[in-house]
């Protein structure tokens, strides 16, 4: 039990579809992240939310649209994707700033394997 | 340009021997380093970390060594066990990064041979 869940685990979508990825953390964390992992490449940070506010957008194309309605939930809305967007999309959370100071350890969900056809 | 590099895409080690995974970084502002382990079809899981004020941190079979002058860290696993077969990622962070961003290496696939 990692405390971070992601749905769906697998998704196949056409280039004209609209779909959403969901992430939920049960750890009481304040920061949540979306990463993209392509084969044999480092994890690419896409978005960071800190206390529900988006604090980072690493030049991600607008066809990816994040949403963070509360500190436990994070969505990634997808529309008009390209085949090169096929990858593993990972959600993570971390404690962020707390009484003990900043902690950097991030806790990951299992990921959504996305295939764009 | 990658700020965190894991130059060995894969490593094969005999069960019971020591596994040494290496990581180099270029940003001298990094002051916190982490190792994550990833099994197929799962997200990465945190393994061990080290602050730049230390040069060694140990947790059971896992030890991380930091050489700041060389901008190099390594993860030692001893003795290696079959369950250690996984992809290992090195990550680094700056204390002053208010977004708590981690900069990741590309990973090293460790294979433990029985």
């Amino acid at each position: 039990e990692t405390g971070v869940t992601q749905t769906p685990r697998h998704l196949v979508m056409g280039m004209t579809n609209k779909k959403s990825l969901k992430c939920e953390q049960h750890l009481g964390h304040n920061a949540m992240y979306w990463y993209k992992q392509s084969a044999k490449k480092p994890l690419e940070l896409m978005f960071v939310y800190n206390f529900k506010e988006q604090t980072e957008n690493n030049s991600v194309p607008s066809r990816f649209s994040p949403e963070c309605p509360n500190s436990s939930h994070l969505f990634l809305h997808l529309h008009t994707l390209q085949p090169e967007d096929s990858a593993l999309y990972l959600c993570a959370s971390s404690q962020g700033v707390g009484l003990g100071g900043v902690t950097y350890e991030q806790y990951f969900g299992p990921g959504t394997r996305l295939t764009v056809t | 340009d990658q700020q965190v590099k894991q130059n060995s895409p894969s490593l094969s080690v005999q069960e019971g021997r020591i596994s040494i995974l290496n990581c180099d970084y270029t940003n001298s502002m990094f002051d916190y380093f982490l190792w994550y382990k990833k099994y197929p079809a799962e997200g990465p899981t945190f393994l061990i970390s080290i602050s730049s004020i230390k040069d060694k941190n140990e947790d059971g079979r896992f030890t991380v060594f930091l050489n700041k002058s060389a901008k190099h860290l390594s993860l030692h696993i001893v003795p290696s066990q079959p369950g250690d077969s996984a992809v290992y990622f090195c990550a680094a962070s700056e204390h002053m990064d208010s977004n708590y961003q981690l900069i990741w290496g590309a990973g090293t696939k460790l294979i433990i041979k029985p």
Side-chain angles (χ1 to χ4, degrees), chain B residues 56-75:
Chain B
K56 176 183 174 181
N57 189 26
E58 194 171 351
D59 184 2
R61 295 185 298 114
F62 302 91
T63 303
V64 55
F65 295 92
L66 176 63
N67 183 335
K68 290 184 288 294
S69 60
K71 295 194 182 69
H72 176 84
L73 64 155
S74 60
L75 175 68

Side-chain angles (χ1 to χ4, degrees), chain A residues 9 31 33 35 37 40-43 45 48 50 55-56 58 88 90 94 96-97 102 104-106 108-110, chain B residues 2 31-32 34 36 38 41-46 49 89 93-102 104-106:
Chain A
R9 294 294 306 274
Y33 311 77
Y35 285 92
Q37 187 187 17
K40 298 181 181 178
K41 292 174 74 174
L43 273 70
L45 180 65
V48 181
N50 202 8
T55 56
E56 192 74 23
N58 278 359
L88 180 68
L90 290 160
S94 70
V97 175
V102 175
Y104 299 94
E105 289 84 359
Q106 295 180 8
F108 285 82
Chain B
Q2 274 187 260
D31 55 7
Y32 198 79
L34 306 90
Y36 282 77
K38 184 181 185 300
E42 294 182 15
T45 55
F46 170 71
S49 63
F89 292 96
S93 185
E94 288 182 49
H95 177 74
M96 295 305 293
D97 187 328
S98 59
N99 286 324
Y100 328 114
Q101 287 195 57
L102 296 179
W104 297 79

Side-chain angles (χ1 to χ4, degrees), chain A residues 13-21 36 44 46-47 57 59-66 76-86 89 114 116:
Chain A
M13 59 186 289
M15 293 167 62
T16 58
N17 291 157
K18 287 185 181 181
K19 296 286 184 183
S20 295
L21 309 185
K36 175 183 178 182
E44 300 172 48
M46 300 174 72
F47 301 105
N57 176 343
S59 304
V60 179
S62 60
R63 56 186 185 270
F64 295 92
S65 173
L76 188 62
H77 304 298
L78 316 171
H79 63 99
T80 59
L81 294 192
Q82 305 297 312
E84 60 265 29
D85 296 323
S86 298
Y89 288 84
L114 173 67
V116 181

